[in-house]
Amino acid sequence: MIHIPRAEYTRRRKALMAQMEPNSIAILPAAAVAIRNRDVEHVYRQDSDFQYLSGFPEPEAVIVLMPGRQHGEYVLFCRERNAERELWDGLRAGTEGAIRDFGADDAFPITDIDDILPGLIEGRDRVYSAMGSNAEFDRHLMEWINVIRSKAHLGAQPPNEFVALDHLLHDMRLYKSAAEVKVMREAARISCAAHVKAMQASRAGLHEFSLEAELDYEFRKGGAKMPAYGSIVAAGRNSCILHYQQNDAVLKNGDLVLIDAGCEIDCYASDITRTWPVNGRFSPEQKAIYEIVLASQEAAFAEIAPDKHWNQAHEATVQVITAGLVRLGLLQGDVDELIASEAYKAFYMHRAGHWLGMDVHDVGEYKVGGEWRVLEVGMALTVEPGIYISPDNPNVAKKWRGIGVRIEDDVVVTKQGCEILTGGVPKTVAEIEALMAAAR
Ligand code: GLY
Ligand code: MN
Ligand code: MN
């Protein structure tokens, strides 16, 4: 299995600690187990920041980083080995495993954290944590601080500054290393195979969930534990619902189906959308809309390169889509004025993409100092223009209504421009029709 090598986690911790102020401490908790219903749990997914710094896959754990600490800079609190619990729930690393397999300098049972952590914080000037994102953990942190404060009369020195860890960490996460790109390529490869499978399986009379089953099968077969987000399988008018999740309607002859789905590998997401005709042949109206979306995506790719800013790709899609809608008579007027008045938003109401990484809508600032961020090598993003003609839009001829098209690919910025990670699934009308015809 392709995964992030252990050495990379060490490198990330060192890079973060190098950016922390002297005499500081960073503390971050693992994701909690989420209850689905009564005693059934959701599939466990580690918190992305926690995973980024440790690769440690268990709940009930806390990372502590103390740059410059003589007895070890990286301390991990985690669950102890427990034969009884491991019989029921699976193996645990334990404190020995945390050191041996996950590179911790020191490890303690999580049950001892209240006794040990105040002593580690004491004397440090600054605490870095993801304040505000985990209310329960914030409360614990204040309790640990208060333990130190209560001993001030004995000479204990509580920290005076609390710093948002996100700022440093999320900027690091925005730049993907070679190892990360490799994992993202693998997630993309599997997701491409899944979209191809769903295209080939597409038939009138099936349900949206029949195609979702094809996706899930390919994801799991490829080694993915789970989709990176709830798969959207939206046929007919459902294609106009941007985050449609029901996935239970019947696929009808003559309709399009829009699938927005991608798997996750080693906590890295892929995010692909393809739209195709249920019966394998685009109608003239479907084709006309599709070609505009595709051309807008091509225009966007040309705007993704070092030194171009974040919004240029979006602007390119708006330009091509608005001009295309005017050409088809779906919008009337001057293209520049329609853009200025945002008239296109009746058909294209979302942005052309987002950062992509461990979270499907990944972390990282889009603006710096009030200006759109300039793209740099290693940044990963999606390019996903769309046109959605509401089934209830009274301003367009009936033949257009209910057509929703989105085309989404994942790219990484390179020196020359960008690498498209998700090129392995057909995209032109001719390619899609040929693939579907061959599967009939
Ligand atoms: N799948 C959600 C998105 O494309 O942003
Ligand atoms: Mn998507
Ligand atoms: Mn997306």
Side-chain angles (χ1 to χ4, degrees):
M1 277 291 291
I2 291 175
H3 63 273
I4 300 294
R6 290 278 165 242
E8 174 128 341
Y9 295 109
T10 310
R11 190 185 58 68
R12 292 170 180 176
R13 287 189 298 270
K14 291 225 175 305
L16 175 64
M17 286 192 275
Q19 293 179 68
M20 290 167 60
E21 296 284 338
N23 201 34
S24 61
I25 183 168
I27 308 172
L28 65 164
V33 171
I35 300 299
R36 180 175 179 276
N37 58 296
R38 197 161 162 82
D39 58 355
V40 180
E41 297 167 358
H42 281 288
V43 176
Y44 185 71
R45 165 60 156 78
Q46 187 54 278
D47 172 80
S48 296
D49 286 339
F50 189 99
Q51 175 75 18
Y52 183 79
L53 289 175
S54 68
F56 192 72
E58 298 182 22
E60 297 182 70
V62 172
I63 292 171
V64 181
L65 298 177
M66 292 163 286
R69 179 171 175 262
Q70 269 202 332
H71 304 295
E73 298 181 307
Y74 172 30
V75 172
L76 191 60
F77 290 88
C78 63
R79 302 178 302 188
E80 287 184 277
R81 302 292 308 265
N82 177 322
E84 164 85 3
R85 284 322 318 161
E86 289 181 53
L87 171 68
W88 285 89
D89 303 330
L91 297 183
R92 300 171 170 192
T95 49
E96 299 86 21
I99 294 168
R100 186 186 59 236
D101 302 330
F102 294 92
D105 295 316
D106 229 339
F108 300 106
I110 187 74
T111 45
D112 292 349
I113 194 165
D114 289 339
D115 297 329
I116 297 171
L117 191 49
L120 297 178
I121 299 172
E122 204 267 301
R124 301 251 158 196
D125 298 329
R126 279 174 208 81
V127 178
Y128 289 76
S129 78
M131 290 174 292
S133 58
N134 180 336
E136 195 186 337
F137 189 75
D138 288 352
R139 205 177 56 248
H140 279 304
L141 182 57
M142 286 309 128
E143 282 165 9
W144 296 321
I145 300 296
N146 281 334
V147 168
I148 305 168
R149 286 178 179 151
S150 72
K151 292 179 180 157
H153 64 286
L154 302 172
Q157 292 179 24
N160 289 315
E161 286 185 38
F162 296 86
V163 187
L165 178 63
D166 320 22
H167 186 64
L168 296 179
L169 198 51
H170 292 178
D171 205 63
M172 286 173 63
R173 281 178 53 191
L174 179 55
Y175 299 85
K176 274 65 181 179
S177 69
E180 288 179 292
V181 172
K182 206 163 148 191
V183 174
M184 291 179 74
R185 270 193 209 109
E186 175 69 354
R189 186 189 65 74
I190 297 163
S191 299
C192 285
H195 277 258
V196 167
K197 248 311 197 341
M199 256 181 218
Q200 290 169 329
S202 181
R203 302 275 187 286
L206 293 177
H207 286 80
E208 291 165 341
F209 54 69
S210 321
L211 301 188
E212 187 178 9
E214 302 286 340
L215 300 169
D216 287 341
Y217 178 71
E218 283 296 312
F219 290 169
R220 291 297 276 143
K221 201 155 64 88
K225 263 193 175 165
M226 58 190 117
Y229 53 92
S231 300
I232 297 167
V233 183
R237 59 190 289 158
N238 297 334
S239 60
C240 297
I241 302 171
L242 299 178
H243 285 165
Y244 178 75
Q245 296 273 292
Q246 243 165 288
N247 299 1
D248 60 359
V250 175
L251 307 182
K252 294 201 195 94
N253 193 25
D255 279 351
L256 290 174
V257 56
L258 178 158
I259 294 191
D260 182 343
C263 70
E264 184 175 277
I265 292 288
D266 206 10
C267 291
Y268 284 82
S270 53
D271 183 7
I272 303 178
T273 307
R274 288 292 184 269
T275 309
W276 62 83
V278 166
N279 65 14
R281 302 283 302 176
F282 284 86
S283 74
E285 289 77 22
Q286 291 166 351
K287 181 165 186 271
I289 299 296
Y290 192 91
E291 296 288 14
I292 297 171
V293 178
L294 186 58
S296 77
Q297 200 204 29
E298 290 295 339
F301 289 143
E303 297 299 327
I304 299 174
D307 298 333
K308 305 232 185 212
H309 69 64
W310 166 258
N311 208 41
Q312 281 177 251
H314 178 71
E315 287 164 5
T317 61
V318 168
Q319 181 70 38
V320 173
I321 285 174
T322 307
L325 291 170
V326 168
R327 222 168 35 247
L328 296 182
L330 287 159
L331 282 176
Q332 290 88 34
D334 174 72
V335 172
D336 290 339
E337 281 170 20
L338 291 166
I339 291 173
S341 67
E342 302 189 335
Y344 64 87
K345 282 196 175 172
F347 301 95
Y348 177 32
M349 58 294 282
H350 59 74
R351 296 197 44 89
H354 48 81
W355 301 130
L356 180 73
M358 301 185 80
D359 296 310
V360 62
H361 295 165
D362 207 27
V363 294
E365 303 287 349
Y366 291 96
K367 282 191 171 177
V368 177
E371 300 290 329
W372 291 112
R373 187 157 201 153
V374 173
L375 299 177
E376 293 176 61
V377 172
M379 292 178 173
L381 54 143
T382 66
V383 186
E384 50 177 306
I387 295 178
Y388 314 90
I389 308 174
S390 163
D392 311 313
N393 187 334
N395 303 321
V396 301
K398 269 214 175 81
K399 62 178 184 176
W400 299 110
R401 294 183 199 165
I403 294 179
V405 172
R406 178 163 65 254
I407 307 173
E408 176 173 29
D409 284 290
D410 305 341
V411 309
V412 180
V413 180
T414 61
K415 274 193 204 134
Q416 294 76 29
C418 65
E419 173 188 343
I420 300 175
L421 304 178
T422 45
V425 49
K427 197 157 62 171
T428 65
V429 165
E431 283 168 356
I432 291 173
E433 289 188 344
L435 180 96
M436 294 184 73
R440 248 127 248 273

